[in-house]
């Protein structure tokens, strides 16, 4: 049985004060959810969020990590620093990291490995652009990203990994993948895990992300191979995000 995971990626939103107000409002709304609910604030809010979420039903993750543990890497944040703030999860290979900041598949893999070694559970994000989808390249792109991210990973490490299917064309556009498209890609991803890693395929959680809102969350979360959602814009409102978390339980 795969436990549903509802993750809120705040991207570059929320000051420390805004983080505090969000969490104070959100915790009583979300109560004791059946689904696992995790917030991904920006780095500057992690310490505050970690303190407020300690011993609650809501988890904490970071949006990115660097693959070195310490040193002269201006602007970078290590796995150990994230763990010290109370993070359990970290996103790696988010489409904005790949496309805006130029994180290639090799860097994504180094981050994923460093996250696991450093005690974090990585959420590997994969997804195709609209040109790749129109060109019939979706599965090829997913395969390349999955192979680079997870190929040859040990069984123990893979058990810590969550995969997020986020079609680039659906992120921040208001254009959500249809349930058929989300199911087809997620099933394909699970099949890939099965081919490369055998029985781990039954256990690995696959999230859908890309313009998830309250009105489409329920139908996406009901899909057999979708085990949760990675929510961007709609996670910035505590009432709306609590409603999406509640939809995950239905
Ligand atoms: P939106 O929900 O704003 O489309 O963002 C999706 C996303 O990138 C989550 O990581």
């Amino acid at each position: 049985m795969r436990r549903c995971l509802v993750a809120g990626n705040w991207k570059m939103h929320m000051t420390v004060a805004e983080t505090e107000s969000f969490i104070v409002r959100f915790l009583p709304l979300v109560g004791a959810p059946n689904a696992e609910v995790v917030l991904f604030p920006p780095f500057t809010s992690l310490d505050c969020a970690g303190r407020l979420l300690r011993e609650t039903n809501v988890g904490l993750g970071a949006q990115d990590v660097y693959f070195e543990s310490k040193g002269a890497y201006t602007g970078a944040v290590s796995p150990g620093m994230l763990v010290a703030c109370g993070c359990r999860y970290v996103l790696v290979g988010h489409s904005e990291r790949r496309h805006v900041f130029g994180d290639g598949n090799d860097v994504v893999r180094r981050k994923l490995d460093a996250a696991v070694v450093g005690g974090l559970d990585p959420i590997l994000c994969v997804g195709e652009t609209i040109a790749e989808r129109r060109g019939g390249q979706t599965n090829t792109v997913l395969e390349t990203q999955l192979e680079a991210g997870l190929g040859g990973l040990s069984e123990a490490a893979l058990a810590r990994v969550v995969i997020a299917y986020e079609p680039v064309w659906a992120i921040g556009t208001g254009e959500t993948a249809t349930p058929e498209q989300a199911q087809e890609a997620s099933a394909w991803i699970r099949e890939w895990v099965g081919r490369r890693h055998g029985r781990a395929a039954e256990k690995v959680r696959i999230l859908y992300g890309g313009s998830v809102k309250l009105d489409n969350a329920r139908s996406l979360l009901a899909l057999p191979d979708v085990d949760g959602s990675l929510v961007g814009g709609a996670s910035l409102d505590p009432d709306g995000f609590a409603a999406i978390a509640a939809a995950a339980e239905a």
Side-chain angles (χ1 to χ4, degrees), residues 9 11 91 94 96 125 166 170-174 209-213 230-234:
N9 175 10
K11 309 193 180 185
L91 304 181
H94 188 278
E96 286 142 23
C125 305
E166 294 208 304
I171 295 177
T173 58
S211 298
V212 173
K213 307 273 181 277
L230 181 50
V231 185

Side-chain angles (χ1 to χ4, degrees), residues 45-56 60 84-86:
S45 287
L46 286 175
D47 183 60
C48 163
R51 289 171 203 276
L52 292 168
L53 296 177
R54 192 174 298 151
E55 284 165 32
T56 72
L60 184 66
C85 287

Side-chain angles (χ1 to χ4, degrees), residues 31 47 76 97 123 158 162 201:
D47 183 60
R97 294 298 322 174
I123 300 184
L158 190 67
V162 175

Side-chain angles (χ1 to χ4, degrees), residues 128-153:
E128 79 290 358
T129 64
I130 193 63
E132 289 161 345
R133 174 163 282 269
R134 288 193 181 131
Q137 296 296 301
T138 299
N139 291 350
T140 311
V141 171
L142 295 179
E143 176 146 44
T144 304
Q145 293 175 344
L146 290 167
E147 189 62 50
L150 304 177
L153 203 66

Side-chain angles (χ1 to χ4, degrees), residues 2-190:
R2 302 185 294 265
R3 189 174 178 210
C4 182
L5 171 56
V6 180
N9 175 10
W10 289 357
K11 309 193 180 185
M12 199 173 74
H13 296 282
M14 301 278 198
T15 63
V16 174
E18 287 163 346
T19 298
E20 186 168 357
S21 328
F22 179 106
I23 291 174
V24 167
R25 167 106 191 137
F26 183 65
L27 285 176
L29 290 172
V30 80
N34 286 331
E36 187 178 355
V37 179
V38 183
L39 300 178
F40 291 76
F43 287 140
T44 44
S45 287
L46 286 175
D47 183 60
C48 163
R51 289 171 203 276
L52 292 168
L53 296 177
R54 192 174 298 151
E55 284 165 32
T56 72
N57 297 307
V58 176
L60 184 66
Q63 299 172 18
D64 188 35
V65 68
Y66 195 54
F67 48 73
E68 297 289 352
S69 58
K70 61 172 74 159
Y73 304 104
T74 301
V77 173
S78 71
M81 293 170 181
L82 299 179
V83 169
C85 287
C87 290
R88 170 170 172 196
Y89 290 99
V90 65
L91 304 181
V92 293
H94 188 278
S95 125
E96 286 142 23
R97 294 298 322 174
R98 293 180 189 265
H99 296 281
V100 181
F101 298 97
D103 285 12
N105 278 320
D106 52 338
V107 165
V108 172
R109 177 55 180 265
R110 292 180 77 179
K111 290 181 172 184
L112 185 137
D113 287 340
V116 171
V117 169
L120 293 160
D121 291 352
I123 300 184
L124 173 69
C125 305
V126 296
E128 79 290 358
T129 64
I130 193 63
E132 289 161 345
R133 174 163 282 269
R134 288 193 181 131
Q137 296 296 301
T138 299
N139 291 350
T140 311
V141 171
L142 295 179
E143 176 146 44
T144 304
Q145 293 175 344
L146 290 167
E147 189 62 50
L150 304 177
L153 203 66
S154 72
E155 203 176 312
L158 190 67
R160 310 263 305 268
V161 171
V162 175
I163 301 171
Y165 170 60
E166 294 208 304
V168 179
W169 49 272
I171 295 177
T173 58
E175 191 185 343
T176 318
T178 63
E180 293 71 29
Q181 288 169 324
Q183 169 57 26
E184 190 185 13
S186 304
W188 193 90
I189 290 168
R190 198 176 301 288

